[in-house]
Amino acid sequence: MLTGIHFLLTYDCTNECDHCFLFCSPRSGGTFTIAQIETVLDEARRIGSVNRIFFEGGEPFLYYPLLEAGVRAAQQRGFDIGIVTNSYWATSVKDAELWLRKLVDAGLTDISLSEDELHSGEETDERPGNALKAAQNLGLEAGIICIEKPELDSEETQARGEPVVGGNTTLKGRAVDNLTEGLPTKPWQSFHECVHEDFEAPGRVHVDAYGNVHICQGISIGNMWEIPLSELVGNYDPLAHPITTELIKGGPAQLVRKFNLDVEDGYVSDCHLCFTARRLLIDRFPQYLAPRQVYGL
């Protein structure tokens, strides 16, 4: 049952991270209005099973008045509310409390903070720690998200014939272009299942201001500005969707076989192959592989 709606509040971001699923940057755009947020929240109530709302991006704090209004609107409708942020605004604990206090008053219940070199470009960045301390001071549930750059494991591991990939970066979005070079690969035929998403019984979807309802970032089940979100979710049939059908049948490798795609011999992971295959298919299935923003196009 669908329990979570994650707003991609904007594709704008302070950073242009090498691993970003969504190709976000300071030039990306694609931001909700408050009327659109309220429409989605009302539709989430109609679905009946949704109890959790997240505001993500991009960087949601770039549009602070909109974020505050969205949190308040979600609280008024009875949802638990979380935010994911890179903490660019937390220049000190005291300043971070100023940013967070209004959100807590509006109904925010928890916050996830990105803390890693991929986000900050620095080995040491005090801002996520400032945000964490401020959140704790205000009684928020808070956690750290740390993404490690993928790299070859130690020479000793490789010598044992185990050239596995270190790090926990999911290789889709900008990571496919920037972080896969030199990593060990497997034949594309070996990626016969998706190990990250349950397309038959999704627990959450992401929604963006263009109307796309993502069952996985870049795989849309429809446009909520054309068909109400509650109807899209209620009528979702994974075996009637040209992309999820093949992924369920045989993973990313099945996409390659079904559509006779011209791909390289080897890929690092199932996401690496899947994203590559979908990028090749975007002009054939623009309504299902959307928006182009997520594919760096």
Side-chain angles (χ1 to χ4, degrees):
M1 292 180 66
L2 191 71
T3 59
I5 301 291
H6 292 229
F7 282 88
L8 301 177
L9 192 68
T10 180
Y11 286 112
D12 271 339
C13 191
T14 55
N15 300 340
E16 196 166 338
C17 297
D18 281 344
H19 70 296
C20 183
F21 290 179
L22 304 170
F23 274 89
C24 296
S25 77
R27 304 170 301 282
S28 295
T31 306
F32 275 88
T33 66
I34 187 58
Q36 289 173 328
I37 289 174
E38 290 172 341
T39 295
V40 173
L41 292 173
D42 289 339
E43 285 295 300
R45 290 187 66 184
R46 291 188 181 96
I47 291 169
S49 56
V50 174
N51 54 36
R52 190 108 173 121
I53 299 295
F54 262 85
F55 293 94
E56 308 176 7
E59 175 48 55
F61 275 76
L62 284 172
Y63 297 90
Y64 188 87
L66 177 65
L67 177 62
E68 181 189 352
V71 169
R72 192 175 304 280
Q75 191 275 336
Q76 290 170 348
R77 290 160 175 79
F79 295 111
D80 292 330
I81 308 146
I83 293 175
V84 180
T85 175
N86 66 20
S87 307
Y88 80 91
W89 40 272
T91 51
S92 71
V93 173
K94 190 172 183 178
D95 284 329
E97 288 184 9
L98 287 176
W99 285 82
L100 291 177
R101 187 171 285 111
K102 284 187 177 182
L103 296 173
V104 172
D105 291 344
L108 182 66
T109 52
D110 71 77
I111 190 166
S112 297
L113 311 161
S114 297
E115 182 181 23
D116 52 66
E117 189 174 349
L118 281 167
H119 280 94
S120 68
E122 306 170 7
E123 292 187 7
T124 302
D125 184 353
E126 296 181 350
R127 292 171 295 180
N130 293 339
L132 179 63
K133 179 62 175 175
Q136 292 169 339
N137 289 347
L138 294 171
L140 274 176
E141 182 178 339
I144 295 291
I145 301 173
C146 184
I147 305 298
E148 300 170 353
K149 184 177 180 178
E151 58 188 1
L152 290 173
D153 264 359
S154 67
E155 292 183 6
E156 179 183 353
T157 302
Q158 294 180 61
R160 293 200 304 267
E162 303 171 10
V164 298
V165 178
N168 59 352
T169 301
T170 303
L171 294 174
K172 56 185 175 181
R174 197 179 282 124
V176 167
D177 294 340
N178 294 352
L179 298 178
T180 57
E181 185 176 357
L183 297 179
T185 62
K186 297 179 181 179
W188 66 261
Q189 296 89 341
S190 64
F191 296 109
H192 51 78
E193 64 177 328
C194 173
V195 299
H196 296 286
E197 301 290 349
D198 184 351
F199 293 111
E200 295 181 88
R204 58 93 181 91
V205 293
H206 289 76
V207 297
D208 70 25
Y210 300 125
N212 301 296
V213 181
H214 306 241
I215 198 166
C216 173
Q217 289 91 339
I219 302 179
S220 176
I221 63 171
N223 191 298
M224 62 190 174
W225 305 142
E226 298 172 0
I227 300 173
L229 178 62
S230 58
E231 290 185 30
L232 285 175
V233 170
N235 295 330
Y236 170 62
D237 179 357
L239 297 181
H241 188 292
I243 304 302
T244 60
T245 295
E246 305 308 325
L247 291 172
I248 291 168
K249 286 180 179 178
Q254 177 60 20
L255 281 178
V256 176
R257 294 189 189 95
K258 171 68 176 180
F259 299 109
N260 193 29
L261 300 178
D262 183 14
V263 298
E264 302 291 334
D265 292 335
Y267 289 84
V268 179
S269 67
D270 59 326
C271 284
H272 184 196
L273 176 59
C274 183
F275 183 83
T276 301
R278 288 189 275 126
R279 192 184 251 174
L280 292 171
L281 290 168
I282 193 168
D283 290 330
R284 196 181 310 189
F285 299 110
Q287 72 273 39
Y288 297 109
L289 299 173
R292 296 178 72 85
Q293 154 76 36
V294 173
Y295 293 91
L297 301 172

